Amino acid sequence: MTTPSPTADTGAELLPIATPARTRAALRTLIRPDRGLALTGLGILVAATAVGLLVQPLLGRIVDIVADGRPAGDLTLPVVLLVAVAVVQGLTTTLGLTRIARLGETVLARLRERFVERALNLPADRLERAGAGDLTARVTGDVARVAEAVRSALPEMARSVLAILLTLGALALLDVRFLLAALLAVPVQLLTARWYVRRALTLYADQRVANGAQQQQLLETIGGAVTVRGHRLEEQHTERSAGRSRKAVDLTMRSVNLVLGFYGRLHIAEYIGLAAVLIAGFWLVRDGAVSIGTATAAALYFHSLFGPVNAALVLLDDAQSAAAGLARLVGVTDLAEQPEPTAGKAAPVSVPQQRTVSSEAAVTVHEVGHAYGPGRPVLHEVSLTLKAGEHVALVGTSGAGKSTLARIVAGVQQPTTGTVTAPASNGEASVVLVTQEVHVFTGTLAEDLRLARPDATDADLRTALSTVHALDWAEALPDGLATVVGEGGHRLDPARAQQLALARLVLADPALAVLDEATAEAGSAGARALERSAEAALAGRTALVVAHRLTQAVAADRVVVLEAGRVVESGPHDELRDADGPYAALWRAWSGSRATTAPHP
């Protein structure tokens, strides 16, 4: 279960946050496969802590020997035992903490893998409503905070709790009155912990939301820097960024003050407890109930509690921060498992399957509708059939719903209503989507290509590149297919990056290819060459092409025209051009603009 999505002052509908109960359940699920490792690590830590508790009685023994005026030789055995205790405790503590650390790293890796897997499967419109900043903050800040807690707080917390429990037991063995005296500090510590926890969880959650809003604003400002400068909006965007930064700083300072108050209350508890143990020791020694050495051991036991008690309580800071981050991560993983609600309605308990697969290379879109939120419909009962091997061009004005329909056909986005039947291979949908926003992954060119088909040979890679007319420039790179591309590597211009994406499509060899303005980024100079690459990549397969240039519509078997989310025309280019309908108007406008911008002989 997740809590309703908070809304930052950016106006975005942030991704949900899991409830504490759901977060605990998810954590148990993550740990369950490694229960043996967890029990073994805790068992070794118990043994290490128990051995360490022998130090105080041995020191008390030394005090008694000195107080009784015994020979110096009597000190040999306790001193040797102290050395042995130190060695054994060091070895067992190292082994136990190593196992706990291994458990933490394993669970953290499992959490990261699950988060990435689920985040990649989130509907595109859901991510758009949340904004990039929210997801970025979770991927970076929240994962880092959970990782920090796993690597440092978890082992230290386990050791501290064990040390507290066993030390209190040792105090009771010396004399139960020492334990009662020590427990006078507990009410103050519990009240301190309660005071802190009640404030920290909400504060850290608000801090995460503020950081997400801050990142979102920075992404929007930097990403749209050209537009910001063009409209002279620098001052406005600077003020927005400063305002969200001030909010984040204010929340950070509130958390600092909270921690300072937390430490101050802990010191009061320490003074109360230590004074009580010393007074109890004085009375017991005076009455002859215990020796000076025993009273010394009791005082040392309580003093040794300062470290683990303070560590355990201080780690509440890390625990609360990590818990807030974990709840945000679990909120994303849970969201990916739940169906998206229809616009303006609550999600039904059982949503019918909106996407099916067919053994034939044909696509059927039946009464598909989609909305990005209540009152924001984009598609209205769109029905469309692509025959096996048919190339269909999707055209229309900006905002007509072309890209939304393309993503739905590709399976990247689920329709709000209606169904889609897509071709299948080995029982799974065989569809590849190529958009104008192509990402070149960091690595060699060969590795980038093999993302589409990991078992492809170098010969397969060259064949795919040759198909899309990219082999010449690929082999001309400094190291050929072994050239490092992507961030920090050899830069590929937009046209070459798009050819790389088309080569990946050839390697994947899907039954259906969806191109969403895949040639738009080439610029006019390389547009025709890139269109030839696209035509070659689509040869022999069913294709839906969102046409950025109407030359793609001319080459298609059929043209489908969208207006305001509805199919208003469908047919061959020549037929629609002569019909004097919406497509003819688009064709005249596009042809006229080309004639105007054409160079004079």
Side-chain angles (χ1 to χ4, degrees), residues 201-241:
L201 189 57
T202 302
L203 179 58
Y204 284 125
D206 291 344
Q207 197 173 358
R208 294 287 182 278
V209 172
N211 288 338
Q214 182 188 32
Q215 289 195 34
Q216 176 68 26
Q217 182 61 48
L218 290 174
L219 288 171
E220 290 178 352
T221 300
I222 295 173
V226 175
T227 303
V228 170
R229 288 194 295 268
H231 290 273
R232 301 294 188 269
L233 298 175
E234 296 93 338
E235 184 176 347
Q236 181 180 349
H237 275 256
T238 299
E239 180 56 33
R240 287 181 183 176
S241 298

Side-chain angles (χ1 to χ4, degrees), residues 23 50 76 93 186 206 226 283 293 302 340 349 369 513 524:
T23 303
T76 303
T93 299
V186 172
D206 291 344
V226 175
W283 284 340
F302 186 82
E340 281 287 293
V349 175
S524 58

Side-chain angles (χ1 to χ4, degrees), residues 186-208:
V186 172
V188 179
Q189 292 167 336
L190 291 179
L191 288 173
T192 299
R194 184 171 179 269
W195 172 84
Y196 175 77
V197 169
R198 291 178 62 183
R199 290 162 174 77
L201 189 57
T202 302
L203 179 58
Y204 284 125
D206 291 344
Q207 197 173 358
R208 294 287 182 278

